[in-house]
Amino acid sequence: MPTVTVVMPVYNDERFVGRAIDSILAQDFRDFEFIVINDGSTDGTARVLEKYSDTRFHFVNQTNNGIVHALNLGVSLAKGKYIARMDSDDISRNDRFQKQVDFLDKNKEYGNGRICLRYPRRGRFPYCTFLCSTYR
């Protein structure tokens, strides 16, 4: 079981999705799976996704049902202790997961399955990200 599952919905974002994926695959913290839900993109997004062969990377194509449905599908497939949310047009720092996992592991009151950590751009971490524990 991976420590972190990254869930990223994407819809018609071929211009940026490759950079978002690359920033996740370049994480210093390596114990994660990466689930991308292609929400019925009609541009070249699927072609970008098909280029990745990293064993941690998985994508699912679905008809366009919206971001909430895509996120729920991704979470339902997650196997990790923690779930990290990623947008397809964002870039994560290489130390994102390491810092978040360290914090949750040291502060169990935040990692009990009821609270998601969200950090503003100028807060504890430099990008809006969150990581929450699963209910398993």
Side-chain angles (χ1 to χ4, degrees):
M1 174 174 84
T3 302
V4 175
T5 296
V6 184
V7 177
M8 184 175 78
V10 60
Y11 176 73
N12 286 349
D13 209 358
E14 74 176 305
R15 281 184 56 205
F16 301 108
V17 70
R19 286 183 275 185
I21 293 168
D22 292 343
S23 77
I24 295 299
L25 295 177
Q27 289 292 303
D28 297 334
F29 185 88
R30 311 293 293 166
D31 186 20
F32 66 87
E33 65 176 344
F34 188 8
I35 300 172
V36 176
I37 307 299
N38 183 15
D39 191 30
S41 295
T42 57
D43 65 355
T45 296
R47 284 189 304 275
V48 174
L49 300 177
E50 290 167 354
K51 293 178 182 178
Y52 288 90
S53 60
D54 191 296
T55 59
R56 298 167 297 173
F57 179 81
H58 315 281
F59 73 94
V60 176
N61 290 310
Q62 69 172 23
T63 58
N64 183 248
N65 289 310
I67 191 170
V68 172
H69 188 272
L71 285 169
N72 285 336
L73 175 58
V75 169
S76 75
L77 298 171
K79 296 178 184 133
K81 176 181 176 184
Y82 300 119
I83 295 175
R85 166 87 164 76
M86 180 69 178
D87 286 325
S88 61
D89 61 352
D90 284 349
I91 295 173
S92 288
R93 287 176 43 137
N94 291 9
D95 60 352
R96 172 189 171 186
F97 296 153
Q98 188 66 62
K99 286 186 175 187
Q100 291 176 318
V101 168
D102 288 348
F103 178 86
L104 287 174
D105 285 348
K106 290 175 187 168
N107 298 278
K108 300 293 186 193
E109 67 272 20
Y110 292 98
N112 63 9
R114 298 186 195 106
I115 297 174
C116 290
L117 299 177
R118 184 173 176 88
Y119 299 106
R121 196 169 290 276
R122 298 187 201 285
R124 189 175 195 100
F125 297 106
Y127 298 99
C128 292
T129 61
F130 69 83
L131 187 75
C132 55
S133 61
T134 60
Y135 288 95
R136 296 184 216 335

